[in-house]
Amino acid sequence: MRVGIIGLGHRLGYLGYVFRAIDESFEIAGYVDPAPAGLAELEAKGVSAGRQYASPAELIAGERLDLLMIGSPNHLHLDHIRIGLEAGLKVFCEKPIVTTIEDSLELAGLMGRHGHERLMVGLVLRYSPLYRDLRAAQGAGLLGDVVSIEASEHIEPYHGAFFMRDWRRYERYSGSFMLEKCCHDLDLYNGVAGARPERVASFGGRKSFVPANDPAKEGVNDLELFYRKPSGWESTDKVFDSDADIIDYQVAIVEYANGVGMNFHTNLNVPDQFRRFCVIGSRGMAEGDFVRGYLDVHRMLTGEKAVSNRYANETALSQHYGADEQMAADIVAHLQQGVDLPVSTQDALEAGILALSMDEARAKRSVVDLRPVWDRFDEALLRRAA
């Protein structure tokens, strides 16, 4: 399987190694990136990145490709996806696939013209054993009808500092923190809810990564924590006085079309991080945490614990609770054997629209009604080339 890469950052540098470990035929033929942050780690693991090209057009013209992988900064994804689709290629794009509502509608139109099966998206948590077990418990009727969801994604200060230093600190590149980091989680709970979100309210801002909280002002000299995670393009050494325009905490409430309610909380400065959920249904409840590695399901009538699963936080290959290698295996099987994937481009777009609506609600301090957006979205999905 010959692959071309647009945007050889740390993520695709890592995934290149994972795909190669899963499938020995995986070969990177070439890449486009003027400053490939992931190249050294890829080559250190014995995986060649092939030839460097100056542009996506030159890469596509110069190589016979079975798959185009996109890991460029988020705001460039739509153009790079379009180039791949118009060249007749299968495309894998890291999340989030686009950064605005308008780009979401444009990509929906591209899917209508080129086919949904042509684009795969790196919403890796859909492949995690924990989430698969949660959906299996739901499918077995252990929860009954889902009523409400409580969920969160909280990251440690070293990771929060990375966002304040990296290109992702600018919403014009990332879309927003909620979109860049939490679209994974929103996609999962959209799937559990079984309906589209209709109304959203949200509040948040930045209170932790601000000058008043800089430990250096208190005489702390060992600041390695805040530089532990490397950044690449457009990076800065500033953390607490960064020019970032993203938030470092946000809360949101969501009402789905079927009446399911959800509250979601994210924070970038949590010393003992967790990524947990509680799904409460008419027949039972499921509690889990991806970081702490558990899933418990209790029956409503008896209080009996029907599921008690424990998971490894990381595996030999995976940075995402066993999900990275499963995603690689599933995508290879999809390309070679036509096996269905657990997440679609439409799922990714719907999760992204929810994240963006949370930011709109936060900025406007008002409830956002998504029903008009879904009308436009469905119209775009149905578009066909004349």
Side-chain angles (χ1 to χ4, degrees):
M1 181 167 65
R2 291 176 58 81
V3 176
I5 290 178
I6 301 175
L8 185 53
H10 292 292
R11 177 62 179 164
L12 284 197
Y14 161 70
L15 279 184
Y17 166 70
V18 174
F19 272 79
R20 174 73 177 191
I22 293 297
D23 180 14
E24 291 184 354
S25 74
F26 182 90
E27 175 190 358
I28 302 174
Y31 69 93
V32 178
D33 194 321
L39 180 60
E41 58 196 281
L42 187 67
E43 293 182 336
K45 292 177 177 176
V47 181
S48 171
R51 178 182 171 188
Q52 184 179 28
Y53 286 87
S55 71
E58 291 180 36
L59 168 64
I60 292 169
E63 301 288 349
R64 178 189 58 77
L65 300 177
D66 300 303
L67 179 67
L68 182 68
M69 299 184 76
I70 297 172
S72 51
N74 303 344
H75 70 295
L76 301 175
H77 286 179
L78 179 61
D79 285 342
H80 292 157
I81 290 169
R82 183 187 294 108
I83 289 169
L85 293 177
E86 290 180 350
L89 296 173
K90 292 281 186 78
V91 179
F92 169 89
C93 184
E94 257 304 312
K95 59 78 194 171
I97 46 178
V98 290
T99 58
T100 68
I101 298 289
E102 291 306 316
D103 282 358
S104 300
L105 299 175
E106 185 171 347
L107 182 54
L110 285 173
M111 292 300 95
R113 291 194 292 277
H114 294 284
H116 291 247
E117 73 285 351
R118 295 270 304 284
L119 178 60
M120 294 148 277
V121 62
L123 283 169
V124 68
L125 291 191
R126 283 269 190 153
Y127 298 85
S128 66
L130 193 161
Y131 185 68
R132 290 187 171 195
D133 290 347
L134 170 63
R135 294 308 306 273
Q138 183 180 10
L142 294 179
L143 304 180
D145 295 328
V146 175
V147 177
S148 57
I149 302 170
E150 177 181 309
S152 59
E153 182 187 7
H154 300 314
I155 62 176
E156 290 179 314
Y158 86 90
H159 205 169
F162 161 79
F163 277 97
M164 294 300 147
R165 294 185 293 105
D166 193 59
W167 60 260
R168 294 165 175 84
R169 71 188 184 274
Y170 299 129
E171 289 194 354
R172 66 181 180 271
Y173 295 149
S174 64
S176 72
F177 178 81
M178 184 65 77
L179 178 69
E180 158 64 25
K181 189 71 175 75
C182 302
C183 64
H184 278 308
D185 306 79
L186 300 180
D187 169 60
L188 299 185
Y189 306 123
N190 282 354
V192 170
R196 285 174 172 170
E198 280 200 347
R199 278 172 284 273
V200 179
S202 184
F203 305 93
R206 191 155 79 246
K207 290 187 175 181
S208 293
F209 290 98
V210 295
N213 293 331
D214 188 345
K217 293 184 177 180
E218 301 172 10
V220 176
N221 295 318
D222 184 4
L223 301 178
E224 179 272 338
L225 168 69
F226 305 112
Y227 301 92
R228 187 174 301 167
K229 186 174 173 65
S231 58
W233 178 64
E234 295 237 350
S235 62
T236 178
D237 287 335
K238 295 184 176 182
V239 176
F240 293 89
D241 55 348
S242 164
D243 61 352
D245 56 21
I246 58 171
I247 56 88
D248 63 22
Y249 78 98
Q250 190 167 345
V251 296
I253 55 175
V254 181
E255 182 182 42
Y256 287 87
N258 58 1
V260 172
M262 179 175 75
N263 64 289
F264 186 81
H265 180 198
T266 188
N267 192 297
L268 285 66
N269 191 42
V270 179
D272 187 12
Q273 67 181 5
F274 55 93
R275 194 175 199 169
R276 67 189 180 204
F277 59 84
C278 181
V279 179
I280 302 172
S282 59
R283 295 290 182 181
M285 63 183 285
E287 297 174 89
D289 190 319
F290 290 93
V291 172
R292 298 177 184 179
Y294 72 87
L295 172 66
D296 293 330
V297 179
H298 287 81
R299 299 182 189 273
M300 180 271 289
L301 289 175
T302 64
E304 168 200 2
K305 186 181 284 188
V307 175
S308 181
N309 293 350
R310 298 299 178 263
Y311 307 86
N313 187 291
E314 291 189 7
T315 65
L317 284 177
S318 182
Q319 297 175 347
H320 291 97
Y321 333 112
D324 290 297
E325 64 263 47
Q326 187 63 58
M327 181 178 74
D330 283 9
I331 287 176
V332 169
H334 173 72
L335 291 170
Q336 296 179 349
Q337 304 163 31
V339 174
D340 289 339
L341 297 175
V343 63
S344 68
T345 304
Q346 183 169 334
D347 294 326
L349 287 169
E350 291 180 359
I353 287 171
L354 174 56
L356 291 165
S357 71
M358 288 177 172
D359 287 304
E360 180 184 353
R362 175 181 56 83
K364 293 181 177 179
R365 292 181 170 268
S366 63
V367 176
V368 171
D369 184 350
L370 277 168
R371 287 173 294 184
V373 176
W374 297 131
D375 289 342
R376 295 172 63 202
F377 183 73
D378 288 335
E379 182 182 355
L381 283 174
L382 294 172
R383 266 181 231 148
R384 295 289 187 273

